[in-house]
């Protein structure tokens, strides 16, 4: 079992080793530590994912209210922001622009807000699959896909019309 | 079978659970229902069931039994099915499982679907989690879509291509043609993803980088348009037009301009423009400024531009927004090596950030402060940093303490200042100091010879106050053990010497031994210190008592020490003063302080716990004396006629080194050996376990020789090579007696020139029987690293027919093979 632990730590390190990726993961979780969305931009095992989620919740939920939105974890920069009862938490590579990452998180919230109309945590709980669809029109592989709010909105609307009633 | 419950209803139900157990029960029930529904191959509700499964997966429950169902959904014709199916694939599958390869065909079909949103789903999934095999299979399709005029598909294809390149870098070439007119697009989505694709290619291949440098003017133009253009509602963020695209272009420019004069010059103006014109009231403007600064610092910008960049960072430091301050400190930390002087100008602001309330900022400020310390500002900086150390959170203390030690070592203006700084750290943050600091500090203290009295006095006083901080206690015990004599004699020059008696000192050290606060390592230090004082103090009896008490300690480490020290008092009292004398100045192996202290007298001890002193030069015993006299002194080294090693060592090689350095005591006096017999070098064990046989002559093919033949005593030498080490020759002597009377009390001795080393093992007997009825054999091992010609002087003593016979001879006729 110790061997497996070592292996997974090594793998984790290898996977977090600087590639040229921008964002490694994006997590949404509540103040009570409930996960609401998880998007992974690198392949990790379930065990590794759980470890990351645990660590992120532990670090972020322990932060003082008026702290700065950045912290260091392993070799990654962690950017987080609280919107009402939800924490948006992204893991970035060392060379990434944290200030812009805050803008990225904000843009995602704006997109959610436009889609759901005054979005709140419950919307994301009951329509989690939609939250993923919105995210997938905005980011791909950790990079921004579309910088226009309008364009993203249009795509979502049109795609929704294709949905058969079920 | 009733229709499976809807997703929202399930979510609602699960949320009513009041305990974890209740939730688990609901989940299990629903999973069972879903499983049976899957078994029935129900097409209608598959989508609903998988969606529910994904929800339960997010709560942390296993959902792997839904993996194949996702594949079935993907293969369905319904858009809703595909949407959930692809989402499920991205959440439940990963490239490690073989099952994901089954998706490849579906994705291929969907990439060619008539509906762009289906194509989009396929591109998204491939671009998020496609394995190398999938990427290889489908790269062609992606490349095709990269050339389409449909901007929705083009932007997705671009990021998908980025993923393909990351997975299979060799495929990068095939995307090159498609990049031709990517930058002439008007659509920002396509522009942005194109810049990302170009960046990826340039970062991976120097050839691509060179190829794309020609795009610099075009990129500069696009950036300029973004800045100068009027308000565009679609792309506006707080008055700035498409900041995401601006930042991405700045980053690509950084890569293209790095190390290239022409490109750097071409972008100089636009960088200056962005740096001066960007609105800084909101985060978004500062994000752009930040990226601009990073670009300026990386390319070959003119000095004016660099100063501008550093000043922007300096302004960031004063910004109210914590995030901006944090980012400034991080960037300054990156540039402090290259633009040291420029950063120094902001030193006072940086030091102020040490007092910031935010933890992340404090940490960055601390790191940057240490980077800014130099010979000129050491006193001032150290004052601030020590003040920080006093008041900071425990999470910082270890790093700060290490940083202070390093800085002090590099830039200490005086030894007294250095010792005082160390003392301050030990007394204020003593429990947080890293374990490896202890040996480093000890080494430092040893080297400050004139400060010994002052140091030990201060450490003693610190111990009187507080014995809870282990690193402090360990260093203090060590010093008191070493310099206790200076302490009681009141010799301190630097400050008022304190009056302390031997008993008081011993009280303190004994107190450490019994205190609950002391760790086993600390106790070891204390015991050794007490022992050392036996040669520095007069109250030896008290020390003897303490040592003998610990001979029955439960702690094995302590017990062993005590037993050995006891032995020192009893059997080896004559060696005690030499063993416990003052430590020599220690050489440091590296400035960053490995945990080992390498002692100059050859014995390396890897642990923090103090090493034993090796036995110093003592007078040789009688036998060796005789030989020296006989052989006329200086050019030969007497042999150790013993099978016990003179000192413990961890490897055969080291033993040989030691033998070379010291004149050897020929007698059987072992040092207080810390090692167990099994750690004896192979050198000896080889000799002991492979007794020489007369029949081994031809083993190494070296011819035997007669070394001595006189008065009926004949001594032959036979040779073989020691197996692991070709520099060692193993000689077996065979002594035979052709006279009618036995030769009794036969002793064979040998000496070799200084460049050799020789070891004589026990003889088979000391009676050489008469009339060649038997031989006495003995093994000699000769180390000849310099491959010099072997010479030997031998001395033979025996009793023959009642009278003592003694003879000397030189042996020069060694066959060349024995020493070449």
């Amino acid at each position: 079992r110790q061997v497996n632990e070592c292996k997974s730590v090594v793998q984790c390190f290898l996977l977090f080793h600087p590639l040229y990726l921008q964002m490694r993961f994006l997590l949404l979780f509540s103040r009570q530590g409930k996960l609401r969305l998880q998007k992974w931009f690198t392949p990790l095992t379930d065990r590794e994912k759980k470890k990351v989620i645990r660590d992120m919740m532990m670090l972020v939920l322990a932060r003082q209210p008026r702290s700065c939105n950045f912290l260091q974890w392993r070799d990654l920069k962690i950017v987080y922001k609280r919107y009402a009862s939800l924490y948006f938490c992204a893991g970035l590579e060392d060379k990434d622009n944290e200030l812009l990452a805050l803008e990225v998180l904000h843009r995602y919230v704006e997109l959610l807000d436009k889609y759901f109309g005054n979005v709140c945590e419950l919307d994301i709980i009951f329509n989690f699959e939609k939250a993923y669809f919105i995210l997938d029109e905005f980011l791909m592989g950790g990079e921004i896909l579309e910088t226009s709010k309008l364009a993203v909105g249009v795509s979502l609307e049109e795609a929704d019309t294709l949905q058969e009633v079920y | 079978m009733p229709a499976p419950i809807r997703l929202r209803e399930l979510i609602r139900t699960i949320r009513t659970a009041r305990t974890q157990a209740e939730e688990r029960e609901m989940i299990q029930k629903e999973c069972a229902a879903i499983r049976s529904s899957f078994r029935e191959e129900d097409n209608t509700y598959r989508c609903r069931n998988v969606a529910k499964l994904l929800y339960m997966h997010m709560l942390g429950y296993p959902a792997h039994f839904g993996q194949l169902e996702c594949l079935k959904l993907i293969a369905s014709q319904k858009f809703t099915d595909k949407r959930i199916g692809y989402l499920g694939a991205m959440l439940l599958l990963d490239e490690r499982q073989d099952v994901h390869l089954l998706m490849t065909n579906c994705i291929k079909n969907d990439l060619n679907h008539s509906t762009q949103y289906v194509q989009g789903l396929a591109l998204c999934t491939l671009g998020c989690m496609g394995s190398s095999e999938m990427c290889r299979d489908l790269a062609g399709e992606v490349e095709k879509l990269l050339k389409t005029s449909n901007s929705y598909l083009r932007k997705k294809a671009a990021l998908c291509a980025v993923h393909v390149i990351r997975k299979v870098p060799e495929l990068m070439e095939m995307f090159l043609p498609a990049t031709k007119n990517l930058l002439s697009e008007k659509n920002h989505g396509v522009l942005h993803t194109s810049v990302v694709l170009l960046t990826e290619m340039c970062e991976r291949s120097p050839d691509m980088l060179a190829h794309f440098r020609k795009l610099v003017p075009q990129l500069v133009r696009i950036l300029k348009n973004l800045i100068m253009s009027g308000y565009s509602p679609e792309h506006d963020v707080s008055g700035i037009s498409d900041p995401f695209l601006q930042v991405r272009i700045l980053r690509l420019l950084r890569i293209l301009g790095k190390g290239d004069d022409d490109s750097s010059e071409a972008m100089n103006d636009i960088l200056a423009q962005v740096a001066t014109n960007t609105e800084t009231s909101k985060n978004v403007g500062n994000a752009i400024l930040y990226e601009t600064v990073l670009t300026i610092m990386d390319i070959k910008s003119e000095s004016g531009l660099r100063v501008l960049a550093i000043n922007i960072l300096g302004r960031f430091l004063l910004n109210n927004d914590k995030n901006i301050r944090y980012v400034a400190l991080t960037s300054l930390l990156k540039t402090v090596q290259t633009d040291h002087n420029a950063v120094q100008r902001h030193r006072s602001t940086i030091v102020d950030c040490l007092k910031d309330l935010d933890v992340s900022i404090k940490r960055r400020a601390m790191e940057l402060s240490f980077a800014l310390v130099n010979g000129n500002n050491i006193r001032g900086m150290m004052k601030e940093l020590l003040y920080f150390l006093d008041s900071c959170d425990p999470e910082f203390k270890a790093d700060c303490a290490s940083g202070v030690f390093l800085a002090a070592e590099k830039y200490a203006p005086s030894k007294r200042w250095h010792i005082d700084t160390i003392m301050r750290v030990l007394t204020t943050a003593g429990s947080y100091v890293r374990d490896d600091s202890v040996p480093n500090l000890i080494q430092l203290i040893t080297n400050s010879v004139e400060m010994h009295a002052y140091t030990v006095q201060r450490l003693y006083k610190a111990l009187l106050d507080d014995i809870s901080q282990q690193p402090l206690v360990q260093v203090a015990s060590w010093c008191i053990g070493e310099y206790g004599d200076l302490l009681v004699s009141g010799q301190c020059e630097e400050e008022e010497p304190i009056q302390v008696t031997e008993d008081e000192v011993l009280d303190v050290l004994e107190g450490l031994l019994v205190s609950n606060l002391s760790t086993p390592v600390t106790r070891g230090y204390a015991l050794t210190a007490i022992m050392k004082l036996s040669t520095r103090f007069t109250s030896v009896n008290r020390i003897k008592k303490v040592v003998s008490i610990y001979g029955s300690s439960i702690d094995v480490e302590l017990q062993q020490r005590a037993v050995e020290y006891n032995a020192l008092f009893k059997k080896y009292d004559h060696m005690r003063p030499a063993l416990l004398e003052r430590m020599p100045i220690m050489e440091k192996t590296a400035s960053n302080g490995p945990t080992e202290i390498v002692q100059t007298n050859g014995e390396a001890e890897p642990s923090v716990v103090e090493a034993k002193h090796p036995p110093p030069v003592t007078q040789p015993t009688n036998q060796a004396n005789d030989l020296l006299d006989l052989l006329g002194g200086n050019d030969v080294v007497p042999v150790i006629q013993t099978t016990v090693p003179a000192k413990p060592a961890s490897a055969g090689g080291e033993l040989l080194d030691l033998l070379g350095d010291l004149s050897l005591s020929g007698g059987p006096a072992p040092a207080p050996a810390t090692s167990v017999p099994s750690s004896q070098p192979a050198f000896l064990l080889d000799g002991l376990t492979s007794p020489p046989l007369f029949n081994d002559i031809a083993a190494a093919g070296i011819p035997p020789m007669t070394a001595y033949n006189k008065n009926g005593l004949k001594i032959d030498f036979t040779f073989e090579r020691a197996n692991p080490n070709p520099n060692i020759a193993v000689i077996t002597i065979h002594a035979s007696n052709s006279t009618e009377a036995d030769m009794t009390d036969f002793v064979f001795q040998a000496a070799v020139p200084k460049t050799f080393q020789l070891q004589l093992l026990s003889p088979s007997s000391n009676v050489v029987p008469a009339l060649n009825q038997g031989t006495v054999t003995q093994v000699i091992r000769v180390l000849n690293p310099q491959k010099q010609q072997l010479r030997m002087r031998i001395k033979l003593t025996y009793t023959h027919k009642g009278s003592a016979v003694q003879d000397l001879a030189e042996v020069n006729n060694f066959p060349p093979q024995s020493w070449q």
Side-chain angles (χ1 to χ4, degrees), chain A residues 11 15 20-22 34-41 43-46 48-50 63 66-72 77 94-100 102-104 107 122 125-130 132-133 136-138 140-141 143-151 154-156 158-160 162-164 166, chain B residues 6-8 11-12 15 23 48 51 54-55 57-58 60 78-80 83-84 87 90-91 94-96 115-117 123-124 127-128 152 155-156 159-160 166-167 187-189 192-193 196 200 203-204 234-235 237 242-244 247-248 251 254 283-284 286-287 290-291 322-324 326-327 334 358 360 364:
Chain A
Q11 272 174 344
L15 289 164
Y20 305 105
L21 274 178
Q22 177 139 278
K34 291 267 187 191
L35 190 67
R36 298 301 179 204
L37 186 141
Q38 49 175 328
K39 190 75 183 177
W40 303 94
F41 299 115
L44 293 179
T45 63
D46 273 348
E48 287 156 353
K49 287 179 191 171
K50 286 201 163 73
R63 295 284 276 187
R66 271 181 295 276
S67 308
C68 86
N69 298 83
F70 313 129
L71 51 97
Q72 194 73 23
K77 296 192 214 200
D94 196 55
K95 60 172 195 179
D96 286 332
N97 186 329
E98 306 94 305
L99 297 179
L100 196 75
L102 279 175
E103 295 298 319
V104 171
R107 174 56 65 91
L122 277 178
I125 294 170
F126 279 94
N127 302 283
F128 70 92
E129 81 278 15
K130 302 254 172 59
Y132 277 105
F133 299 154
D136 286 343
E137 291 300 316
F138 174 46
M140 191 203 281
E143 304 281 359
I144 295 174
L145 186 55
E146 178 58 67
T147 58
S148 157
K149 273 186 283 196
L150 185 64
V154 165
S155 318
L156 287 168
E158 289 186 7
D160 280 349
L162 293 177
Q163 293 228 152
E164 304 86 353
Y166 67 102
Chain B
R6 290 173 179 273
L7 171 64
R8 320 260 179 260
I11 297 176
R12 208 170 294 127
R15 282 172 63 78
E23 181 184 280
R48 184 186 291 189
L54 293 180
Y55 177 74
H57 176 253
M58 183 139 66
K78 295 204 267 191
F79 183 68
T80 317
R83 238 183 170 183
I84 296 288
L87 178 61
M90 284 194 276
L91 288 175
D94 68 59
E95 56 179 58
R96 257 178 286 259
T115 314
Q116 71 176 22
Y117 293 106
L123 280 169
C124 179
C128 272
Y152 177 81
K155 72 188 184 199
K156 291 207 173 194
L159 286 188
C160 196
R166 283 173 184 165
K167 281 298 197 190
N187 181 296
H188 281 223
H192 186 276
T193 56
V196 173
E200 185 72 25
E203 274 178 331
R204 282 183 182 270
E234 195 178 341
H235 300 113
V237 180
D242 206 339
F244 304 107
V247 165
R248 249 3 195 124
R251 191 178 302 187
R254 176 151 87 240
N283 179 65
V284 61
N286 289 316
Y290 177 38
E291 195 74 32
K322 281 195 190 52
N323 297 331
I324 310 243
Y326 178 86
V327 149
K334 288 198 191 119
D358 188 283
S360 306
R364 281 283 183 257

Side-chain angles (χ1 to χ4, degrees), chain B residues 216 330 338 458 471 487:
Chain B
V216 169
T330 310
T338 46
R458 286 211 58 188
L487 186 59

Side-chain angles (χ1 to χ4, degrees), chain B residues 563-791:
Chain B
V563 165
E564 287 166 8
Y565 294 154
N566 252 334
L568 260 190
F569 275 123
K570 299 206 166 82
K571 258 174 95 180
Y572 302 107
D573 205 43
H574 57 284
M575 300 181 79
R576 190 165 48 86
L579 270 172
L580 300 176
E581 67 181 10
R582 196 77 98 219
M583 290 282 248
I585 293 180
M586 301 178 209
E587 305 264 315
K588 240 198 166 169
T589 50
S591 63
N592 274 333
T595 54
E596 289 134 326
I597 301 176
V598 177
Q599 296 185 23
T600 51
N601 33 25
E603 189 175 23
E605 176 75 70
S607 67
V608 171
V609 173
E610 185 183 80
K612 287 291 162 39
H613 300 244
V617 178
T618 57
Q619 53 286 9
T621 63
N622 291 332
Q623 281 181 317
N625 241 344
D626 288 348
L627 209 55
L628 272 175
D629 286 346
L630 287 162
L631 299 176
N634 296 336
D635 62 341
V636 287
V637 172
V639 68
I640 316 171
Q641 194 170 340
T642 173
T643 58
V644 178
K647 56 178 9 73
S650 51
E654 280 178 40
L655 181 62
L656 293 170
D657 287 344
L658 292 165
L659 292 177
D661 284 343
L662 303 173
S663 329
L664 308 156
S665 51
T674 51
S675 61
V676 163
S678 61
S679 74
Q680 283 178 18
F683 196 64
L684 287 170
L685 286 172
D686 277 354
L688 291 173
T689 57
S690 52
L693 296 173
F694 193 75
N695 298 328
D696 274 352
I697 302 171
I702 306 173
M705 58 176 268
T706 302
Y708 177 90
N709 195 349
K710 223 159 123 183
N711 299 333
L713 176 62
K714 177 157 166 269
I715 298 185
D716 289 321
F717 284 179
T718 58
F719 301 92
E720 60 190 86
R721 288 261 168 235
N723 218 356
N725 189 344
N727 288 336
I728 297 179
V730 180
I731 306 172
T732 308
I733 70 156
H734 308 266
S736 54
N737 173 6
S738 60
T739 68
E740 316 122 3
D742 290 344
M743 294 170 178
T744 56
D745 302 315
F746 178 77
V747 174
F748 175 89
Q749 285 173 287
V752 286
K754 247 193 182 148
T755 52
F756 297 80
Q757 283 170 20
L758 191 147
Q759 188 186 25
L760 205 53
L761 305 180
S762 308
S764 58
S765 105
N766 59 358
V767 174
V768 192
L771 300 171
N772 294 327
Q773 281 165 25
T775 58
V776 166
T777 56
Q778 194 166 8
V779 173
I780 310 171
R781 292 166 68 110
V782 181
L783 175 72
N784 184 7
Q786 293 178 25
K787 301 268 187 212
Q788 293 195 354
Q789 181 177 13
L790 186 52
R791 299 181 299 133

